[in-house]
Each structure stands twice: as structure tokens, then as C-alpha cells.
Amino acid sequence: MTDQPVFDDRFLDAPDTTLLEPAVRRDHPPRILLLYGSLRERSFSRFATEEAARILQHLGCETRIFDPRDLPLPDAVADDHPKVRELRELSNWSEGQVWCSPERHGTFTGVMKTQIDWLPLNSGGVRPTQGRTLAVMQVSGGSQSFNAVNGLRLLGRWMRMITIPNQSSVAKAWQEFDEAGRMKPSDYHDRIVDVMEELVKFTLLTRDRSDYLVDRYSERRASGRTTDSHRVAAAALKSTG
């Protein structure tokens, strides 16, 4: 086949390995935001999230856990509500995220979805989730299931995030944590360690070039930003780095 596909060469950007090398490497600790999907006082998704944060801190990360209490339902209040602002600012701050939800009625909870629904794909030129890494986890009261993490993966893709391959699903969560909410040693705990290790690696690998990884032909074409202008901007950044 010799016919050219129907696209505009001015906006097509064939992958260039030189552009995968970051102009400037960030040396601060990876910034990870953790979200959980339950408001119960003894919340196993919160316990698992707190355990994940401890592991991430041990791996050299800076972590923030968002408390979903008092976060209104989407569209019930204006965007300047204090809890909405807090959540969006934390997402903007983050370079990677962890989402952990109980499984309820075969999927993740409304508490979890409410948090994601308050994060816009685009707000004033800022994209609070695009290009960030994501790890997904779930807890279950019964046998092991993957319905919630599978749903969270779909949601992460929709939010244009880089969702890592590994994931965690803790079955019979009520017997995996002690009275203080600390997770007991187990294969389930080992898997959370695996997932956090992988998240840190993917975050370090992608955070300096996520802008290039998620740069799209359709968006360049819509904005009139040609490939040449994209490369000139990249070259200028490299020369000042």
C-alpha cells in the first residue's frame, strides 16, 4: 500500500528517542497522592492506604492522603468548595497516585467515584491527572475479587493516567489488620509492597517526560501546534536545562 493515510503531516510526530531523554531530571522525592473509598470509622481501605503510604515513605516518596469526609457530591456545590479545592490541589501536586476502594455491589464505591468525578480532565490548561502514574488496590469482606480494581483501571485510563501492571486485592480484609489498623504480615501485605515498588519505579521513569508521552496528534491539530514548533520548544528547553 502506497497511499498515505488521511492525516496532516504538519502535526504528525514520529516517535523520537532523543525526546524521551528528559531535558532536566527532577531530584525531589516522588510525590504520591493516595485516595481511599470508605467513610467507615474502621475502614479497611483506609488502613490499606495508610500501609501503602508507609511503604512509599520508606521507599523515599513524599505522600499525601486525602480524607474524603465532607466532600460533596459532584455538581452539588461550586468548584471553590474547600474540599474540592484541596483535592484538586493535591492532584496537581502529585506525580503518581494510589486508589484503594472496597468492593461494593461488584465494583468500587460511590465515595471513590465522587473523588475522581471532582477531578477535571482539563481546567484552565492544567490537567490534574494526565500523565501521572497510578496504582490500584481493593479490599473485600469475602473471597478475593478483582471487580473494583478492574473498574479503577478503566477509570484511570479515562483520566489519561499511566496505570501500572501490578495491583493488590486483599480478601477477608477484616482478618488482615490488627486492632490498631496495622496490616499483619501476609502474602497480601507482600503484594502491596510489590505494587508500591513498581509504582515508584514507573513514576521515576515517566515523571520527567510524561508531557511528551501523552502529547497527541489530535490535540496538536486542534490547537494548530505543528510538529516543528513542538520540537523547537523541546530544543529550547534542553538548551536552558
Side-chain angles (χ1 to χ4, degrees):
M1 296 179 65
T2 58
D3 293 341
Q4 177 175 301
V6 183
F7 56 72
D8 191 329
D9 274 320
R10 294 174 302 164
F11 305 105
L12 186 67
D13 190 10
D16 184 342
T17 56
T18 62
L19 293 177
L20 290 171
E21 291 296 326
V24 179
R25 286 196 179 274
R26 307 173 201 179
D27 56 7
H28 61 257
R31 299 168 178 166
I32 309 297
L33 169 63
L34 300 95
L35 307 179
Y36 60 91
S38 171
L39 302 180
R40 294 172 57 189
E41 183 176 348
R42 187 165 173 79
S43 165
F44 297 115
S45 64
R46 174 168 57 82
F47 291 162
T49 296
E50 291 170 348
E51 193 67 23
R54 295 184 191 101
I55 296 166
L56 288 167
Q57 291 165 10
H58 192 77
L59 292 171
C61 297
E62 186 178 357
T63 64
R64 299 284 188 275
I65 299 176
F66 177 73
D67 183 350
R69 289 177 297 180
D70 300 322
L71 180 67
L73 289 173
D75 303 324
V77 297
D79 292 355
D80 61 355
H81 185 280
K83 291 297 289 188
V84 176
R85 286 204 316 268
E86 178 190 355
L87 176 59
R88 292 184 176 185
E89 288 169 2
L90 285 172
S91 189
N92 289 336
W93 165 87
S94 72
E95 296 167 334
Q97 297 188 15
V98 177
W99 296 352
C100 180
S101 177
E103 180 171 326
R104 179 170 295 169
H105 294 173
T107 188
F108 51 83
T109 63
V111 173
M112 191 79 235
K113 185 63 159 56
T114 293
Q115 296 172 81
I116 309 309
D117 283 348
W118 273 118
L119 296 175
L121 286 174
N122 193 330
S123 177
V126 176
R127 295 184 170 174
T129 57
Q130 177 168 286
R132 288 159 175 77
T133 52
L134 172 65
V136 294
M137 308 195 304
Q138 77 167 75
V139 296
S140 302
S143 59
Q144 191 175 39
S145 172
F146 301 95
N147 291 327
V149 287
N150 288 340
L152 290 173
R153 283 188 175 278
L154 288 174
L155 195 54
R157 176 168 61 89
W158 184 260
M159 300 304 291
R160 300 177 178 177
M161 303 180 78
I162 303 169
T163 308
I164 67 170
N166 214 339
Q167 62 188 20
S168 167
S169 175
V170 180
K172 297 181 180 178
W174 49 272
Q175 64 184 16
E176 296 300 325
F177 297 86
D178 63 22
E179 287 303 311
R182 295 301 303 270
M183 195 168 187
K184 303 172 185 177
S186 67
D187 290 344
Y188 291 132
H189 186 274
D190 289 349
R191 175 55 68 91
I192 293 180
V193 176
D194 290 345
V195 174
M196 294 308 109
E197 279 188 340
E198 191 170 289
L199 176 65
V200 175
K201 292 173 185 176
F202 270 81
T203 304
L204 290 172
L205 181 67
T206 61
R207 68 176 180 177
D208 294 310
R209 285 314 345 233
S210 61
D211 56 342
Y212 178 65
L213 292 173
V214 299
D215 189 52
R216 293 176 175 82
Y217 165 82
S218 59
E219 293 179 352
R220 290 193 299 272
R221 188 170 182 273
S223 66
R225 180 166 54 88
T226 64
T227 299
D228 286 341
S229 65
H230 169 68
R231 292 179 181 276
V232 167
L237 182 61
K238 220 170 230 191
S239 66
T240 58

